[in-house]
Amino acid sequence: MTLPASFPRRSFAPARLSLVLGAALLLAATAGHAQFKVVGADGKVTYTDREPAQPEGKVTALGAKAPVQAAEPDLPFDLRQVASKYPVTLYTTTGACEPCVQARQYLKQRGVPFSERQAASNEDIEALEKISGGREAPTLTVGSQVLRGFGSDSWGQYLDAAGYPRESRLPSSYQYRAATPIAERRDATVARTGDAAPPALPRATAPTSPGPSGGIRF
């Protein structure tokens, strides 16, 4: 049917364009005031001014909250879940310590994402004693479990119990961060009073005692 010449012709393109521009402006305004960008497991992007307590996806700090160091590449979903529930921290010393070298190599060969803290001062040593109840290096924490002295068998059993894969699943681009002082971690832990302590490992498959003592005792 041919419309009469006098029939008003409507164009919906401007309306659709207005909606798109409005949504874009709203998203930009939200992102401008946000401090964190969250990319969910389904790929959905949201912005928030509060750091998610237990994020299910990737969290990126924005603006003043953004870290100076480049963000680590994404971990596989299952490995990210384990690392979030049972974080691993290796405590070593800056001095000569062959067991510390062996412990570090063991974790990297197995593909365990971990943070390394080093004892370089008396304050660090005191902090290590408060954290682990001892002054041995190396010391490993898996969640809230403390293992003093390196032992591949006992360490492996605890990592198994936590759910860490026995073979590395880290991306080829993954890089471990440089070690930091132990006392710095203690101060940060005290400051973050709202954070809950990592859960204890299931004891059904975990050994009843830590591995053989070795390394350095301060």
Side-chain angles (χ1 to χ4, degrees), residues 80 92 126 157:
R80 184 171 68 246
T92 60
E126 293 173 0
Q157 291 182 61

Side-chain angles (χ1 to χ4, degrees), residues 23 89 132 143 156 162 165 211:
T89 304
S132 67

Side-chain angles (χ1 to χ4, degrees), residues 35-39 47-48 52 57-63 65-67 71:
Q35 294 180 338
F36 299 94
K37 174 184 177 183
V38 182
V39 181
Y47 294 89
T48 177
K58 179 182 178 181
V59 178
T60 303
L62 304 174
K65 293 286 186 179

Side-chain angles (χ1 to χ4, degrees), residues 85-86 142 144-145 157-163 199-207:
K85 189 175 183 180
Y86 299 111
V142 183
S144 61
Q145 182 64 49
Q157 291 182 61
Y158 277 100
L159 292 171
D160 290 345
L201 292 178
R203 294 196 173 275
T205 57

